[in-house]
Structure formats: C-alpha cells, structure tokens
Amino acid sequence: METTRIAILGYGNLGRGIETALAKAEDLELVAVFTRRDPASVKLASADVPVYAASELAAHAEEVDVLVLGGGSATDLPGQTPECAKLFNIVDSFDTHAHIPQHFAAVDAALRESGHVGAISMGWDPGLFSLARVIGNSMLPDGADYTFWGRGVSQGHSDAIRRIPGVKDARQYTVPVPAALEAVRNGENPQLTDRQKHTRECYVVAEEGADLAAIEQAIVTMPNYFEPYDTTVTFISQEELEANHAGIPHGGSVIRSGQTSDGTQHTVEFSLKLDSNPEFTGSVLAATARAIGRLSREGVTGCKTIFDIAPAYYSPLSGEELRSHLL
Amino acid sequence: METTRIAILGYGNLGRGIETALAKAEDLELVAVFTRRDPASVKLASADVPVYAASELAAHAEEVDVLVLGGGSATDLPGQTPECAKLFNIVDSFDTHAHIPQHFAAVDAALRESGHVGAISMGWDPGLFSLARVIGNSMLPDGADYTFWGRGVSQGHSDAIRRIPGVKDARQYTVPVPAALEAVRNGENPQLTDRQKHTRECYVVAEEGADLAAIEQAIVTMPNYFEPYDTTVTFISQEELEANHAGIPHGGSVIRSGQTSDGTQHTVEFSLKLDSNPEFTGSVLAATARAIGRLSREGVTGCKTIFDIAPAYYSPLSGEELRSHLL
C-alpha cells in the first residue's frame, strides 16, 4: 500500500477530526497543518508535524499529495477550495446543498487547469447519505426518499440561539419524530411536513437577570430555524451544559421506500449513530484523501463527488483482499 | 439517456424479477429471453419479447448490449457466466462467497479475451451488503462487522427440509435475534455465535401418516443447516402454507461498529426489508446492467464487482442532475 502524504488546512473541530482519523490509517501520513491563526499558537495532537501559516501553502505544495480542507461552507470553502485547487489535489466537505453546482463548477475548472483531482461535499450529508440516496433511487426507481437527521447537535441552530440577547450559551438537538420514522420504515410512504419529521430541543444558559420568557419566545418564533417545528426550550446552568452537553453527537437515516411491482414493497435504509460529528466526518474525509491520492497517481483530473468514486478506492485493501473478505 | 438492450438468460423467479425491474426503467429495453426449456413453453410477462433456446445465444449476440444471468450459483453460473462472457457483456448474481475469487478469475479472463465487460456477484448479499461493508470498513477502520439476515425465507434451508422423508413441502425463515441486533446497534461490540445471532423457524407440511416427531428430530439435528441454531418446527397444512407463506420476503442489516478515538463510538448500518427477494435482486441486476452498458460504451473491459463501479453509473440521471438533486 503506497503512502499518501496529507496536509490539513484549518485546525478547528473538523481539522482535529481529520487528524484523529489519519492516526488510524497506516498508509496516510499527516505531513503538515496550515492555519490562518499564528502557527506558534496551534498545538497539534500529533508530535513532530509542522504547522504553517495558510499564506505559505504554495511554498509547500510539492510536499503534499492531498490537501484536506477543514473549513466551513458559509465563508471558508467557497473561496478556499478553488484557490487551493490551483496547487493541490483537494478534499472538502462543502455542505450548502443549494450552492453545490456552482462550487463544483469553480473547483472543477481550477483542478482541470492545474492538472489536479479532488472531491467536494464529502462527509456524511452530503457524502454517505448522498451515496445511500443514489443507490436507493437506482435500485428502486419507483419510490420516495426520506432523510431524517438526529438525534444530534445542530451547530447552525445552536449559533442562532446564541445570537439572541440575554443568551450566554446554547445547545440545540434535532430529533426525528419516532412515529414518522416508524411509518416510513413500514413502507407507508407518508407525506410529511417539517413539523411532522423533526422536533427541536434547545438547552439554553441565560445571562443573569435575563428575561427567560422573552428568550423562549424569540426562539420558538424564529422563522426557518424554529417556527416550522415543535420546539422545546429548557434553561440550564453553564455547569449542566458543560457536564451533559459537551459532545457533538449526530446521525440520522436515509430511507428509500418503493415498489418493484404493484403491492411489492421494499425499504432500503442507511443509518448513522455518531458520538462525534467532526471525528466521523474527519474519518470520511481521510478515506476520501486515500481515494484522491490513488486517482491522482492514475492520472485522473477534475472534480469528483461521492457519485464518481468506485468504493474500492476508499479502502487500503487490494481488489483481491476486498473480494475475498468483504464481498 | 442512451437505451441499453438487455437479454435475460433463465426465466425462473430471478429471471422474472429482472424482467419486472426492466419495466420500471425507460432506458433499459428487454430484447430477448433465453431458456434451457422449450422456448414455446415459456410465457413472458412482457408482450412481444422473443424467447430463444439457450443454445441460440451466439446467434443473437449482436442484438444484445448486456446479458443478465438469472441462474443459480450452485450449478448454473460457474459454467454459464464464463461461457457467456466470450460473447456478451454480462451481469450475474453469483453468491457462493467462498468461490468468488475463482469465479472472478474465470469470468475476468473470458471478458478480457473477448473485449467485453461484466459484473459478478451483484444483488444484495453479495452486492449492496458488500458495498455497506467496504464503506463501513473504510470509514471506521478500527471496528467490527456484523451481518444479520432476515426475517426472510432461505431457499436453501427450505430445500433441505423438503429432502427429509415424509415432508411434502416446507418454508424456512431466518430470523435475527432481537437482543443481539440491539447490542450491536448500541455499540457494545459483542462476540456472537451463530446461535446468538439467528434463529430458524420452519413451517412444514407432512405427508399423510408421516412420523412428525422423526421429521422434527431430523430437522433440528441437521448439521450446519439447523444444529448450530435454535430451531422451531411448526407443522401446518398445505392450504395454510399457500395462504400465509407464499411470498419470498427477505432482508437484513450490515452494521459496522467502531471508534475514531478512545471511547468515541460510531455505528453505520445498512438495512433492507424486502417483500420479494427475487424482485429486489432483479432490480439491482437491472441497474447494474445499465452501469455495464455504459462502461462498455466507454471501452472498459474485464470483470467488475460492486467495489469497482462508481455509484453514478447505476443511475439514469446525469452528473448535473445527481449533484443538484441527490447530493
């Protein structure tokens, strides 16, 4: 198994998750971390791996086979990924579904011009959940798709609560409605509104003397984020938040329900239960970096998604080993 | 979307399942069925599709883009698939796990020599379950694999009961043990024996005057098939068998349970609940025929498995459509 030299851009939760995943893979070697902070202020979990300023990316391009981007989709990746694609084979986790086509076009153009290969929108949704959707749709063309998220922490919704005056900290869990999940699993093909699919549980630490009723009202009436859902708000202390809500668990299910002939019903389900969203996402990005390293050695160029990569590329096992042990 | 011309070899349960699946796909056209029976005796569900003797395969090779084999793994496919690979792009559902490497080698050699492409061991296990295993192993390299089958009808075990003297008909269901499934889903990583994972339920129609106690004893002590499991035997009438056990449902779950760092646990599960095993398997083979038709048009040759085919190839949607709607 050939070694692939990996660098990480960005050392937040996801960057650390990628680093953790690389430690489990003998053929993937972390050779550098790039940061927009002062490199001297960044302490890696990995010993002896250099930390460089993001401005020095170009100077280290020859030392890296695949650059894995740990940034966020809102402000980091739309600019970073196409820029990095001029110099590196890349992997990112761009997850703003509505903007994927334009992100793909920008990254693909940069990769083709520079002769590199990359994969965008990897992780679990988009990523493994997308794989489950294309498999479900292809094998059951006459059917319906359902995606349930949770029980898990939504960073975006937690941030939205934190922006409300009087809120010190908050954690929001997205929770699938058990009856809806059950109906879908039973092949009942229900039509479900947002409210019927998920509830939202909010754990909020208020500032001293804050108007709790006003905070609760601001949350449950917030358009798009909370108004379309049944939302519960529970005020807790900072200590309780840190003791019971420190993790970043997530997960969910993609279900394809369909029929092959009249009344002959089938259900295909892919589910994840994750203790740590960034560590699992990092693990998917690490396996994708292996795939991109291989595609690059084969001379492939341009932008890929999970739809375009044969599954064997993610595995360190050979074709013979895969056929003997996993087929 | 280009049309792919499909022929089916073998018109048993699986052959009919493939035919049913093709009717749901606008871009897949059934152009012929080949049979080892008298072609005049075979009545297709599809109007206007010719039935030919299997001995005439060579004469129709030019009319067919992909030949899908509906035969069984025990006696049909080991000879048929390599033989057909001399003339056709092929898809089969070879499922004798221990013999996959030698079957792959024989089919690959024939396909390369004739300049064709094919996929073996497609369906759901091997097939979609294998895909779930390689994804689970790649994304969670530090973990354990579990496969549960059922609740579903095992044809092999039903046949084994029918061979016992005094048995007129039988249906055997493989059933996962709920507590074992639950422990695996909870990330407990249990070590499980065959007996702890599955039970076997047998519904038996005895011949008039048969010794029921002797039949039951013959079943529960049968080596490999029933002795390693907790097996229940229920005698029923032929009418009850036909009324309540006529279907061929199946399904199961592949679960990968692992950790990305100490104590950080993740569970990846892929599950199927199928009203009809042959119709769903046929549907997977039909989507694979689409993929093989495309690979052939791209000039690819040789034998593939589900590990070697990028997911987009199974779908009639374009790359742009997939990225917009399913990513």
Side-chain angles (χ1 to χ4, degrees):
Chain A
M1 172 95 284
E2 209 160 336
T3 296
T4 303
R5 299 168 304 168
I6 311 285
I8 300 169
L9 171 56
Y11 197 66
N13 281 337
L14 179 55
R16 282 191 294 272
I18 299 161
E19 179 187 31
T20 302
L22 294 175
K24 297 271 186 194
E26 281 179 27
D27 61 317
L28 303 178
E29 184 190 0
L30 179 62
V31 296
V33 169
F34 294 90
T35 178
R36 285 176 301 185
R37 290 178 274 165
D38 172 9
S41 73
V42 173
K43 289 272 165 284
L44 304 189
S46 322
D48 304 326
V49 173
V51 181
Y52 301 120
S55 57
E56 295 178 81
L57 274 161
H60 297 280
E62 293 305 311
E63 302 154 25
V64 175
D65 295 316
V66 184
L67 178 69
V68 184
L69 289 89
S73 300
T75 55
D76 301 332
L77 300 176
Q80 269 182 357
T81 312
E83 200 57 37
C84 292
K86 294 177 184 169
L87 296 163
F88 296 91
N89 300 310
I90 59 91
V91 174
D92 85 10
S93 63
F94 186 79
D95 67 357
T96 312
H97 287 263
H99 297 156
I100 284 175
Q102 69 203 64
H103 187 64
F104 179 90
V107 176
D108 190 52
L111 288 169
R112 286 185 192 279
E113 188 167 333
S114 69
H116 289 98
V117 61
I120 61 158
S121 302
M122 292 298 302
W124 58 274
D125 194 5
L128 302 189
F129 274 19
S130 322
L131 173 61
R133 284 189 278 264
V134 75
I135 292 293
N137 276 263
S138 299
M139 307 307 162
L140 289 176
D142 180 4
D145 285 310
Y146 297 88
T147 303
F148 291 90
W149 293 276
R151 188 175 194 262
V153 171
S154 165
Q155 303 278 13
H157 287 79
S158 300
D159 288 344
I161 299 172
R162 282 189 210 103
R163 285 192 293 265
I164 295 171
V167 171
K168 195 172 152 200
D169 204 348
R171 202 72 86 250
Q172 193 270 181
Y173 294 90
T174 306
V175 185
V177 174
L181 198 49
E182 204 51 34
V184 171
R185 284 182 175 147
N186 288 339
E188 296 169 24
N189 282 332
Q191 297 271 351
L192 298 166
T193 63
D194 289 345
R195 192 177 301 276
Q196 289 169 317
K197 285 179 70 183
H198 295 98
T199 53
R200 299 197 176 277
E201 293 176 9
C202 310
Y203 295 87
V204 180
V205 182
E207 285 167 1
E208 205 160 311
D211 179 344
L212 302 188
I215 291 172
E216 178 163 352
Q217 189 62 13
I219 295 172
V220 302
T221 59
M222 196 185 297
N224 303 317
Y225 280 82
F226 294 103
E227 190 279 322
Y229 302 89
D230 288 339
T231 300
T232 56
V233 177
T234 307
F235 290 96
I236 61 177
S237 67
Q238 186 72 41
E239 294 68 40
E240 196 179 337
L241 187 101
E242 279 157 26
N244 300 335
H245 304 281
I248 314 176
H250 219 313
S253 297
V254 171
I255 303 174
R256 178 74 176 178
S257 173
Q259 46 183 25
T260 48
S261 61
D262 279 358
T264 306
Q265 179 71 35
H266 310 279
T267 307
V268 179
E269 176 168 355
F270 180 77
S271 297
L272 295 172
K273 208 165 72 181
L274 311 174
D275 271 1
S276 162
N277 186 351
E279 283 195 17
F280 186 77
T281 301
S283 202
V284 176
L285 297 186
T288 307
R290 173 184 294 121
I292 290 300
R294 280 183 178 164
L295 289 168
S296 171
R297 289 193 286 275
E298 291 178 3
V300 174
T301 61
C303 190
K304 308 291 171 191
T305 72
I306 197 160
F307 301 142
D308 309 308
I309 299 175
Y313 282 89
Y314 300 110
S315 170
L317 301 180
S318 69
E320 292 75 13
E321 290 170 317
L322 289 175
R323 287 190 293 275
S324 296
H325 303 306
L326 297 181
L327 198 63
Chain B
M1 171 97 282
E2 209 160 337
T3 296
T4 302
R5 301 168 301 167
I6 312 284
I8 300 170
L9 171 56
Y11 198 67
N13 281 337
L14 179 55
R16 282 191 293 273
I18 300 161
E19 179 187 32
T20 301
L22 294 175
K24 296 272 186 194
E26 280 179 29
D27 61 316
L28 302 178
E29 183 191 1
L30 179 62
V31 296
V33 170
F34 294 90
T35 179
R36 285 176 301 185
R37 290 179 274 166
D38 172 9
S41 73
V42 174
K43 289 273 165 282
L44 303 190
S46 322
D48 305 326
V49 172
V51 181
Y52 301 120
S55 58
E56 294 178 82
L57 275 161
H60 297 280
E62 293 304 311
E63 302 155 24
V64 174
D65 295 317
V66 183
L67 178 70
V68 184
L69 289 89
S73 299
T75 55
D76 301 332
L77 300 176
Q80 269 181 358
T81 313
E83 200 57 36
C84 292
K86 295 177 183 169
L87 296 164
F88 296 91
N89 299 311
I90 60 90
V91 174
D92 84 9
S93 63
F94 186 78
D95 67 358
T96 311
H97 287 263
H99 298 156
I100 285 174
Q102 69 202 66
H103 187 64
F104 180 89
V107 176
D108 191 52
L111 288 169
R112 286 185 191 279
E113 188 167 335
S114 69
H116 288 98
V117 62
I120 62 158
S121 302
M122 292 298 302
W124 59 275
D125 194 6
L128 302 189
F129 273 19
S130 321
L131 173 61
R133 284 189 278 264
V134 76
I135 292 293
N137 276 263
S138 300
M139 307 305 162
L140 289 176
D142 179 5
D145 285 310
Y146 298 88
T147 303
F148 290 91
W149 292 275
R151 186 172 194 263
V153 171
S154 165
Q155 303 279 13
H157 288 79
S158 301
D159 288 343
I161 300 172
R162 282 189 210 103
R163 285 192 293 265
I164 295 171
V167 171
K168 197 172 152 200
D169 204 348
R171 202 73 85 249
Q172 194 269 180
Y173 294 90
T174 306
V175 186
V177 174
L181 198 49
E182 204 52 33
V184 171
R185 284 181 176 149
N186 288 339
E188 297 170 23
N189 283 330
Q191 297 271 350
L192 298 166
T193 63
D194 288 345
R195 192 178 300 276
Q196 289 169 317
K197 285 179 72 184
H198 295 98
T199 53
R200 298 196 176 278
E201 293 176 10
C202 310
Y203 295 87
V204 181
V205 182
E207 284 167 2
E208 204 159 312
D211 180 344
L212 302 188
I215 291 172
E216 179 164 351
Q217 189 62 13
I219 294 171
V220 302
T221 60
M222 197 184 295
N224 302 317
Y225 280 81
F226 294 103
E227 190 279 323
Y229 301 89
D230 288 338
T231 301
T232 56
V233 178
T234 307
F235 290 96
I236 60 176
S237 67
Q238 186 73 41
E239 294 69 38
E240 196 178 336
L241 186 102
E242 279 156 24
N244 299 336
H245 304 280
I248 314 177
H250 219 314
S253 297
V254 171
I255 302 174
R256 178 74 176 176
S257 173
Q259 46 183 22
T260 47
S261 60
D262 280 359
T264 305
Q265 178 71 34
H266 310 279
T267 307
V268 179
E269 176 167 355
F270 180 77
S271 297
L272 296 171
K273 208 166 72 181
L274 311 174
D275 271 1
S276 162
N277 186 352
E279 283 195 18
F280 186 77
T281 301
S283 203
V284 177
L285 297 186
T288 307
R290 174 184 294 122
I292 290 299
R294 280 183 177 165
L295 288 169
S296 171
R297 289 193 287 275
E298 291 178 4
V300 174
T301 61
C303 189
K304 307 292 172 192
T305 71
I306 197 160
F307 301 141
D308 309 307
I309 299 174
Y313 282 89
Y314 300 111
S315 170
L317 301 180
S318 70
E320 292 75 13
E321 290 169 318
L322 289 175
R323 287 190 293 274
S324 296
H325 303 307
L326 297 181
L327 199 60

